Amino acid sequence: MHETLEEVQMTSRKPINGDLKVYFSLFSLLFVVLSGKVSVYLAALAIFSALSIYAAGRHYLRLMKVPSYFLIPSAIIIAFFIPGSSISIPLPISPTKEGVELAFFTLMRSYASLSVLFFMILTTSIPEVFAALKRLRLPAFVVEMSLLVYRAIQVLMDELDRLDRSASSRLGYASKRAFLRTSSLLAYSLFMKSLERSEKMNMAMESRCYSGEMPVRSEESSGYALCLVISLVLIALWLEVGA
């Protein structure tokens, strides 16, 4: 039976609870992006992947599969087309040393950031995100836009899962040629379906008298020790490499 992202969020195991979960995820995401250290990227990817697998199991792997379709080809392009000293390999076009290094750095930074973001997505519902952001005294416009983006990601993932299962049941990935054709059709269909679902979501919110204000839920935070340990590990790696 197919599970929606909302059902996964409600049934997932949560090593961190309450507003702390949102604040810690946002802090970790910001720290990982700004650190500029491959060791921090690798540690964040390993830690938050383990937390996400503990929380939601195979659902995390399914989420990570989607951006891989874009990240890996982009990294290959970077490796081959960044100017620098060529690496001798038996191919018509050889990658450059600088390109490979930049491609690896970009790939690790992207996957590390996504692992943090997906941990929050898999364990945090929209009301929890809204409540945490509202308690930070952020402007109402910022909170509303954040919620709409967050909800759009959920809609996009649900729609992609439906299209992917439909294509698989029709042997859309039976060969390499069929895979490429199916992928291109899925990309187009996903764009059109996401617009349609977004319009329906907006109509549903308006029919429920949504005007930018949502009820705030309250939940006691827990998992402070785990957050402290993870933060210390990431900071220690950043300071050690930077020293």
Side-chain angles (χ1 to χ4, degrees):
M1 182 178 178
H2 171 63
E3 287 184 284
T4 64
L5 190 54
E6 290 87 347
E7 290 173 336
V8 173
Q9 291 170 344
M10 296 301 296
T11 58
S12 62
R13 293 182 288 184
K14 300 173 177 59
I16 306 171
N17 278 310
D19 295 344
L20 176 64
K21 179 171 49 183
V22 178
Y23 301 149
F24 174 67
S25 298
L26 295 177
F27 165 77
S28 300
L29 179 61
L30 183 62
F31 180 81
V32 167
V33 170
L34 297 179
S35 66
K37 306 295 182 182
V38 175
S39 60
V40 176
Y41 299 157
L42 293 174
L45 177 59
I47 292 171
F48 284 96
S49 294
L51 290 176
S52 298
I53 292 174
Y54 169 80
R58 69 182 188 278
H59 297 286
Y60 170 71
L61 301 177
R62 290 169 60 188
L63 281 180
M64 289 296 283
K65 180 179 68 174
V66 177
S68 297
Y69 293 140
F70 305 95
L71 290 177
I72 294 177
S74 300
I76 294 175
I77 292 174
I78 292 174
F80 278 86
F81 291 97
I82 293 297
S85 55
S86 298
I87 301 175
S88 298
I89 58 175
L91 287 175
I93 302 178
S94 298
T96 62
K97 180 180 178 182
E98 291 77 4
V100 171
E101 291 176 353
L102 180 59
F104 179 75
F105 180 86
T106 303
L107 205 60
M108 289 300 98
R109 184 179 187 180
S110 301
Y111 274 121
S113 302
L114 286 171
S115 66
V116 179
L117 182 62
F118 286 160
F119 168 71
M120 186 176 73
I121 290 176
L122 289 169
T123 59
T124 312
S125 63
I126 288 183
E128 289 176 311
V129 175
F130 178 80
L133 293 179
K134 192 169 184 180
R135 292 190 182 97
L136 285 179
R137 306 292 183 181
L138 293 177
F141 172 79
V142 174
V143 175
E144 184 177 2
M145 290 303 299
S146 300
L147 286 173
L148 291 176
V149 171
Y150 188 76
R151 178 57 182 165
I153 293 175
Q154 293 181 319
V155 171
L156 191 66
M157 296 305 303
D158 286 341
E159 197 61 45
L160 178 62
D161 186 66
R162 291 188 182 92
L163 292 173
D164 181 67
R165 286 187 289 112
S166 177
S168 298
S169 65
R170 291 170 173 81
L171 302 179
Y173 305 114
S175 63
K176 293 181 179 179
R177 184 176 181 180
F179 176 83
L180 293 175
R181 182 174 181 273
T182 301
S183 298
S184 61
L185 292 174
L186 281 182
Y188 174 76
S189 299
L190 179 62
F191 177 74
M192 301 304 297
K193 288 286 187 180
S194 61
L195 292 178
E196 181 182 348
R197 288 284 301 275
S198 297
E199 291 179 359
K200 290 181 179 179
M201 181 184 71
N202 183 59
M203 293 176 59
M205 293 171 65
E206 290 181 350
S207 66
R208 291 167 174 80
C209 302
Y210 175 73
S211 60
E213 293 290 334
M214 294 180 64
V216 178
R217 60 174 296 177
S218 178
E219 184 179 0
E220 185 178 356
S221 296
S222 62
Y224 288 96
L226 180 60
C227 293
L228 179 61
V229 171
I230 295 174
S231 299
L232 290 177
V233 170
L234 296 179
I235 294 173
L237 288 171
W238 178 64
L239 292 176
E240 181 181 357
V241 177

